[in-house]
Amino acid sequence: QVQLVESGGGLAQAGGSLRLSCARSGRLFTTVGWFRQAPGKEREFVAAISANGDRTYYADSVKGRFTISRDNAKNTVYLQMNNLKPDDTAVYLCAANVRNSTRYYLSGGYGIWGQGTQVTVSS
């Protein structure tokens, strides 16, 4: 059974950086997405990367600040977050096994989720 495990969250100051990792147990060659959910808010799309890493997608709110990448040899997807803002505070979750890779921004299309990692950005 394929599982996803996120790590790398924590506390950062505004303008700082964090790198999140999404490790997969078992082979999984598929689009992987990062989403986030803040208290009282709906889950929102952050970034996604195609199975072989040749295509990346970003929400407008993180474009130019976040970078998604993957190392398929290590079964790991990364989210490098720079110039963090207090509004980036949320639980970050990775997801895989999307039914339609063209709808990478829809959380309901993903079949496998990690447990999430907390990111807190102080002003």
Side-chain angles (χ1 to χ4, degrees):
Q1 183 178 358
V2 175
Q3 293 182 324
L4 303 176
V5 179
E6 302 95 335
S7 61
L11 178 64
Q13 291 187 332
S17 299
L18 287 172
R19 189 176 82 155
L20 305 183
S21 298
C22 173
R24 296 164 282 149
S25 63
R27 292 179 60 185
L28 186 62
F29 192 70
T30 182
T31 295
V32 173
W34 281 99
F35 292 78
R36 66 186 181 187
Q37 188 162 17
K41 295 186 177 181
E42 292 187 354
R43 188 169 296 182
E44 65 173 351
F45 169 73
V46 175
I49 187 167
S50 61
N52 60 9
D54 63 339
R55 295 185 302 277
T56 57
Y57 312 94
Y58 297 95
D60 287 343
S61 59
V62 306
K63 201 171 294 183
R65 299 188 298 122
F66 291 10
T67 302
I68 190 171
S69 62
R70 68 191 300 158
D71 185 339
N72 283 341
K74 297 182 178 179
N75 292 331
T76 301
V77 172
Y78 304 98
L79 185 67
Q80 178 67 43
M81 306 186 296
N82 297 329
N83 192 20
L84 284 163
K85 303 176 180 180
D87 284 348
D88 294 321
T89 295
V91 174
Y92 283 71
L93 307 101
C94 66
N97 204 22
V98 65
R99 289 190 293 271
N100 184 342
S101 62
T102 63
R103 304 291 182 101
Y104 54 84
Y105 50 89
L106 295 177
S107 61
Y110 289 84
I112 301 172
W113 289 83
Q115 82 290 348
T117 184
Q118 176 70 46
V119 171
T120 303
V121 183
S122 62
S123 58

